Amino acid sequence: MSAFSRLYRGETDINFPKLWKPVLAFSVALVIASIVSLIVQGLVLSIDFRGGAVWEVPSKSLTTQQATDILTDFNREEGAKVQIVKDADNNRIVRIQAEKSKNIAESESIATALADKAGLTLDDVTTNTVGPSWGASITKDAVKALVVFLVMIALYISWQLEWRMALSALVAVVHDVIITVGVYSFTRFAVTPATVISFLTILGFSLYDTIVVYDRVQDNTKRYDRTGQFTYLGIMRRSLNQVLMRSLNTTFVAILPVLSILIIGGVVYGQTVMFDFALALLVGLIVGAYSSLAVAAPVVVFL
């Protein structure tokens, strides 16, 4: 039987415990690097958190330099971002972002200048002004949701399985969140409300993979523990080999639609919300599948 067939049937005998030391060292290095990056560089927050204004000009002729020059005339060029994107109908749109909008009147004046330069009317230019309090409110609610989520999950796993599994699952979740946020700090991608939603979404997937492993461990413990032929480490090794293909399949199937959203929606059509949402999901899905096998399992064995 080929190696793939044995993997598919859960009949492999990969020595996971032998891999745990270098893998855990790698995870610790990633976590430390992520924390250092967050302390030194921090995160690039979108205007939803800092406050500012966004103008979208549907124009085939307006250039990024012309848009930047208009912002310079209003002394708003610092921290500004000008992009060329396309909508679902493949129409060219110039998106201009500027921080710390002074007032609505100034935003309308900039919109008027952009419309005049592009040969459009003011109604053709979409203007959105956001205050920093809105992003702060989203962050506050997200933190509350995260705390409640972790407490409820810990109680549920402790009740259904055992407290050591609950604790190790939370360690894996914290590991996933820190590394995912660290990727944003390293790459300097902007953190938006869609990113925050993605962070909360990946927690569920990370825990799903971990609980699949733990459920198999519980079944095998009941089956083999009384025989005295397996230590708990041996039962964990056997369980990981049995669920490995399922974890890989689940992760692969989950990543496919996320990649579609990221590439087609975010890259091809330039939809920033889709890109922000899918990027965090993609990183989180990969890290979550990894942590269920390489972080949660060795921690619960140690405990």
Side-chain angles (χ1 to χ4, degrees):
M1 190 180 296
S2 67
F4 179 79
S5 297
R6 287 187 286 109
L7 176 65
Y8 188 80
R9 295 170 180 269
E11 297 173 354
T12 55
D13 188 27
I14 300 171
N15 190 354
F16 283 97
K18 186 178 180 180
L19 301 174
W20 282 344
K21 283 188 178 180
V23 167
L24 284 175
F26 175 69
S27 289
V28 170
L30 284 181
V31 169
I32 293 174
S34 298
I35 293 173
V36 170
S37 179
L38 287 169
I39 294 173
V40 175
Q41 306 191 115
L43 294 168
V44 178
L45 300 177
S46 70
I47 64 168
D48 301 291
F49 298 96
R50 300 191 310 270
V54 179
W55 299 271
E56 292 187 348
V57 186
S59 172
K60 296 180 179 179
S61 58
L62 184 67
T63 65
T64 56
Q65 185 58 52
Q66 289 173 329
T68 303
D69 291 341
I70 291 174
L71 292 178
T72 302
D73 293 339
F74 286 88
N75 295 319
R76 296 291 303 283
E77 73 279 4
E78 185 177 353
K81 185 178 180 181
V82 182
Q83 296 174 289
I84 304 296
V85 299
K86 292 184 178 181
D87 63 13
D89 297 321
N90 208 34
N91 296 317
R92 181 180 183 271
I93 296 176
V94 182
R95 179 195 292 270
I96 304 102
Q97 298 183 34
E99 298 180 10
K100 299 177 182 178
S101 177
K102 295 177 182 178
N103 50 58
I104 300 296
E106 186 199 52
S107 295
E108 291 183 353
S109 298
I110 294 175
T112 301
L114 290 169
D116 291 341
K117 181 65 69 173
L120 304 170
T121 64
L122 182 59
D123 292 337
D124 294 325
V125 179
T126 302
T127 304
N128 291 310
T129 304
V130 182
S133 60
W134 188 71
S137 176
I138 289 178
T139 304
K140 183 179 179 181
D141 290 342
V143 170
K144 287 181 180 179
L146 177 60
V147 172
V148 172
F149 174 83
L150 293 178
V151 170
M152 295 300 293
I153 285 297
L155 292 175
Y156 174 78
I157 297 177
S158 299
W159 172 55
Q160 286 286 66
L161 301 173
E162 58 174 79
W163 69 267
R164 286 173 285 256
M165 289 182 171
L167 182 58
S168 60
L170 294 183
V171 169
V173 166
V174 172
H175 163 276
D176 297 346
V177 172
I178 291 176
I179 291 180
T180 304
V181 175
V183 168
Y184 272 76
S185 178
F186 280 126
T187 58
R188 312 307 293 160
F189 283 117
V191 175
T192 67
T195 308
V196 175
I197 294 170
S198 295
F199 287 156
L200 297 179
T201 304
I202 63 177
L203 301 183
F205 185 88
S206 174
L207 280 169
Y208 168 79
D209 255 4
T210 301
I211 290 177
V212 166
V213 173
Y214 289 168
D215 186 61
R216 181 55 62 91
V217 171
Q218 287 287 85
D219 287 344
N220 285 338
T221 300
K222 295 174 183 177
R223 182 181 304 173
Y224 299 117
D225 194 37
R226 294 179 182 177
T227 66
Q229 296 178 349
F230 289 91
T231 62
Y232 191 78
L233 179 63
I235 291 174
M236 178 62 76
R237 173 175 172 173
R238 187 179 184 90
S239 301
L240 289 176
N241 277 281
Q242 289 173 345
V243 302
L244 178 59
M245 193 63 193
R246 178 176 177 177
S247 295
L248 293 176
N249 281 337
T250 304
T251 303
F252 180 70
V253 170
I255 283 177
L256 282 179
V258 173
L259 274 177
S260 299
I261 295 173
L262 180 67
I263 296 173
I264 299 174
V267 178
V268 176
Y269 288 107
Q271 298 297 313
T272 55
V273 174
M274 286 187 176
F275 183 86
D276 296 335
F277 183 71
L279 179 62
L281 273 182
L282 181 63
V283 175
L285 288 173
I286 295 172
V287 176
Y290 160 81
S291 69
S292 66
L293 301 173
V295 177
V299 170
V300 76
V301 169
F302 172 79
L303 292 175

